[in-house]
Amino acid sequence: MHSTLPLYINGEFTPSKAERTIPVTNPATQLTLTNAPCATNQEVERAIGSAKAAFASWKETPSPERARLMLRYQQLLKEHHDELAEILSQETGKVFADAKGDVWRGIEVVEQACNISSLMMGETAENVARDIDTYSYIQPLGVCAGITPFNFPAMIPLWMFPLAIACGNTFVLKPSEQDPMTPMRLAELFDEAGFPKGLLQVVHGDKEQVDQIINHPDIKAISFVGSAHVGQHIYRTGTHNLKRVQCMTGAKNHMVVMPDANKQQVINHLVGASVGAAGQRCMAISVAVFVGESKAWIPEIKAAIANVKPGLWNDEDAGFGPVISPQAKSRILSLIEQGRKEGANCELDGSSFTLPEYPEGNWVGPTLFSGVTPDMTIYKEEIFGPVLLTMESESLENAVTLVNQNPYGNGTSIFTESGSAARYFQHNIEVGQVGINVPIPVPLPFFSFTGWKNSFYGDHHAYGKQGVRFYTETKTVTSRWFDEDALHGPNMTITLK
């Protein structure tokens, strides 16, 4: 009998009364680690109600006090960094180094949330008209919610609730049911940091619980990261219900390789960016576009990727771990087979890879295709596995056109020694996050995560200044103080005089 995770409601970790639970399994062994309860309607309602009640006093808490609590929280996260990474490795299958990176990128956002006093400063202008001043305040929204995916169970929750709470909001988190143990440990450390009760709520479940959250009238803003299909549903439902919504969804990220690039750097970075984390990154490079003579490097790319071996989380020689679930593995293998049927050259096939000691694991070996064209299914769909597609282009201009015609716009990169080529690329590419000799250009948290096109639905992006805007509203005050008892007649216009 495996334990069942509690819910975190009103500052207490309490067992759920749910009749239905979801097993949380180790992707390498299929052994059940724990169970996630599908919270009842009453429990979700209680969590939202608790968050709403806590907002009344939390919004009045001075921002320096909020920042001091966040400083304590980031210190606890650093103290428990490796512990969090080990929990994360067990439930996601990530190798330990990758898991530590997941945790650390989340801590960086918490560090930025510690600057909340300056981030929430408004603007002032004196004498906008005679004896009239105008100034603005930035104020919190209320109860916010986050729906997070399986692939970054530390980083993405930490993109959301620390910044929202630092802004003066309260927050309801519904983590992925596939790996909720890490988010629960984040909640335990949040509790230990001494925050008031009710600021953070954690409820578990699946679509039923998500729909209850996004339809609830007391939820003012929803942040989501996950599949395009689910993201579109959340965006349409949330905006229909007059909520502020931020949905980061699918991707098909290209790396353009120029013939003047440093070949060894291209090989090193492309291997890690494509099959690292088993390709389960929304910013993974899944398509490499070789321009001109650089196509001659494809055999060396193949050799380098072939040397990467999947393995257990604590195997220092393993390049990446298993994919998250048998269903994910089945989908990846189906797309690999579809690529063959549609005429792509499968240069390296990881479909049959297994780890003899753990044959039940969700193993997929590194896979490489050449001769890929834009009409193929493997190009049009996000594979989300350790699969790299290679394409060829006669010119940088054609490569840019290819990237721009893709419906996604999450991330892209160019490897080149030419400043002119890099300038042309960054200026003309229609993608939100661009790397120049950087394969996975995820911005540090004082900037914002800025996916474009079908990779994002909403108005304000995650973390950075746009994240603060997403979790706040601006109030503008126009003020005049009179020195005399009466006006010199009525002002019949809207002009400030």
Side-chain angles (χ1 to χ4, degrees), residues 113-353:
C114 296
N115 298 321
I116 198 61
S117 294
S118 58
L119 292 172
M120 291 191 70
M121 292 173 65
E123 298 174 316
T124 64
E126 188 178 42
N127 280 336
V128 296
R130 190 171 301 279
D131 297 328
I132 293 179
D133 306 325
T134 299
Y135 43 94
S136 64
Y137 296 115
I138 298 175
Q139 297 183 334
L141 299 174
V143 183
C144 303
I147 316 297
T148 59
F150 75 84
N151 57 329
F152 286 96
M155 181 184 78
I156 293 179
L158 291 174
W159 279 10
M160 297 180 185
F161 73 80
L163 187 58
I165 290 171
C167 286
N169 302 289
T170 54
F171 203 88
V172 178
L173 175 66
K174 207 301 287 184
S176 170
E177 63 275 17
Q178 297 186 86
D179 46 15
M181 294 165 58
T182 303
M184 285 305 295
R185 187 64 182 127
L186 297 178
E188 290 172 354
L189 295 174
F190 182 88
D191 190 76
E192 186 178 335
F195 285 90
K197 289 185 176 183
L199 303 190
L200 175 65
Q201 321 282 331
V202 183
V203 296
H204 303 291
D206 52 19
K207 184 180 184 300
E208 179 182 341
Q209 287 69 34
V210 169
D211 284 343
Q212 185 178 354
I213 290 169
I214 64 178
N215 282 293
H216 200 285
D218 290 334
I219 298 293
K220 303 302 181 184
I222 303 164
S223 185
F224 167 82
V225 178
S227 72
H229 173 72
V230 177
Q232 289 171 3
H233 165 70
I234 290 175
Y235 178 71
R236 290 167 182 161
T237 305
T239 53
H240 176 75
N241 289 325
L242 304 179
K243 301 181 190 305
R244 190 171 291 184
V245 184
Q246 171 193 78
C247 290
M248 292 148 277
T249 61
K252 200 71 175 182
N253 307 314
H254 300 69
M255 176 194 285
V256 174
V257 181
M258 299 298 291
D260 66 346
N262 182 306
K263 181 171 69 172
Q264 193 56 52
Q265 291 294 336
V266 168
I267 293 170
N268 292 345
H269 286 292
L270 183 53
V271 170
S274 59
V275 302
Q280 297 176 125
R281 296 171 175 151
C282 66
M283 287 290 286
I285 294 296
S286 55
V287 184
V289 183
F290 292 90
V291 177
E293 296 175 358
S294 67
K295 65 184 179 183
W297 304 349
I298 293 177
E300 293 175 76
I301 299 288
K302 172 184 174 181
I305 290 181
N307 285 330
V308 179
K309 304 299 182 186
L312 296 180
W313 71 274
N314 56 357
D315 180 356
E316 294 183 359
D317 294 326
F320 59 89
V323 297
I324 189 66
S325 67
Q327 294 78 12
K329 176 180 177 178
S330 177
R331 181 179 178 276
I332 294 165
L333 298 187
S334 175
L335 284 166
I336 292 172
E337 181 59 28
Q338 186 69 18
R340 286 199 203 88
K341 290 179 179 178
E342 294 181 1
N345 303 316
C346 191
E347 305 279 353
L348 183 66
D349 186 359
S351 299
S352 60
F353 179 89

Side-chain angles (χ1 to χ4, degrees), residues 22-183:
I22 301 170
V24 179
T25 59
N26 183 319
T29 64
Q30 304 304 331
L31 296 176
T32 299
L33 302 171
T34 187
N35 294 284
C38 293
T40 66
N41 290 345
Q42 292 79 12
E43 287 166 343
V44 175
E45 187 68 37
R46 188 159 60 89
I48 296 172
S50 169
K52 183 179 181 181
F55 175 67
S57 59
W58 181 243
K59 69 177 181 179
E60 304 297 341
T61 302
S63 60
E65 291 185 27
R66 301 200 300 262
R68 290 185 197 110
L69 286 166
M70 206 56 66
L71 281 165
R72 172 61 177 153
Y73 186 45
Q74 62 92 23
Q75 183 59 40
L76 285 171
L77 291 171
K78 290 176 181 177
E79 290 172 4
H80 293 269
H81 177 267
D82 285 7
E83 175 206 342
L84 285 162
E86 184 169 342
I87 295 169
L88 193 155
S89 292
Q90 293 292 317
E91 61 180 349
T92 65
K94 286 188 180 184
V95 295
F96 192 51
D98 192 25
K100 289 197 292 184
D102 185 333
V103 176
W104 184 253
R105 292 309 299 264
I107 291 173
E108 289 177 332
V109 178
V110 180
E111 288 178 335
Q112 182 68 359
C114 296
N115 298 321
I116 198 61
S117 294
S118 58
L119 292 172
M120 291 191 70
M121 292 173 65
E123 298 174 316
T124 64
E126 188 178 42
N127 280 336
V128 296
R130 190 171 301 279
D131 297 328
I132 293 179
D133 306 325
T134 299
Y135 43 94
S136 64
Y137 296 115
I138 298 175
Q139 297 183 334
L141 299 174
V143 183
C144 303
I147 316 297
T148 59
F150 75 84
N151 57 329
F152 286 96
M155 181 184 78
I156 293 179
L158 291 174
W159 279 10
M160 297 180 185
F161 73 80
L163 187 58
I165 290 171
C167 286
N169 302 289
T170 54
F171 203 88
V172 178
L173 175 66
K174 207 301 287 184
S176 170
E177 63 275 17
Q178 297 186 86
D179 46 15
M181 294 165 58
T182 303

